[in-house]
Amino acid sequence: MTLQHAQKEVDEWILTQGGGYFGELTNLGILTEEVGELARWIVRKYGDQNMRPSEREMNVEEAIADEMTDVLWVIICLSNQMNIDLTAALQQNLEKKTRRDHNRHK
């Protein structure tokens, strides 16, 4: 699935099944929440914090993937609301990083 296709699919789902978009500030809050949930799982897998008893039966890799896609979902929602073409924006960002950082990490 391309970013363009993902933006279209999310938009269609939101408009036909999701009841419409939440406001941008609400989506920003949801994004923050989802990033926190992703962080919790990454800390459990790679950090020093032990899993809670209720988390021990869960597949950590699946949980991380699920939280990553929740973050992506909200990013796509925000980009749709703000009329941002993620494909074009990512290409511009890669070009910026190439210009700015081409020797930075060598």
Side-chain angles (χ1 to χ4, degrees), residues 1-18 21 72-73 75-81 83-87:
M1 181 181 290
T2 64
L3 288 172
Q4 184 179 32
H5 187 228
Q7 283 190 255
K8 183 180 179 206
E9 290 286 317
V10 168
D11 188 60
E12 186 176 308
W13 190 92
I14 291 288
L15 298 177
T16 61
Q17 298 179 53
Y21 285 94
L72 181 59
W73 177 274
I75 292 289
I76 290 171
C77 287
L78 284 166
S79 66
N80 285 349
Q81 291 174 281
N83 296 314
I84 294 170
D85 176 345
L86 283 176
T87 302

Side-chain angles (χ1 to χ4, degrees), residues 8 11 16 25 47 53 60 95 98:
K8 183 180 179 206
D11 188 60
T16 61
L25 287 176
V60 178
E95 291 168 6
T98 300

Side-chain angles (χ1 to χ4, degrees), residues 56-82:
R56 289 189 185 127
E57 295 180 17
M58 299 180 77
N59 182 308
V60 178
E61 290 79 13
E62 287 178 11
I64 289 171
D66 185 57
E67 296 304 339
M68 282 184 175
T69 53
D70 286 346
V71 168
L72 181 59
W73 177 274
V74 182
I75 292 289
I76 290 171
C77 287
L78 284 166
S79 66
N80 285 349
Q81 291 174 281
M82 298 176 188

Side-chain angles (χ1 to χ4, degrees), residues 16-44:
T16 61
Q17 298 179 53
Y21 285 94
F22 295 124
E24 291 86 349
L25 287 176
T26 298
N27 273 335
L28 178 62
I30 293 168
L31 176 62
T32 303
E33 178 183 346
E34 296 299 347
V35 169
E37 291 172 7
L38 173 60
R40 185 188 76 213
W41 282 108
I42 290 175
V43 165
R44 298 292 196 273

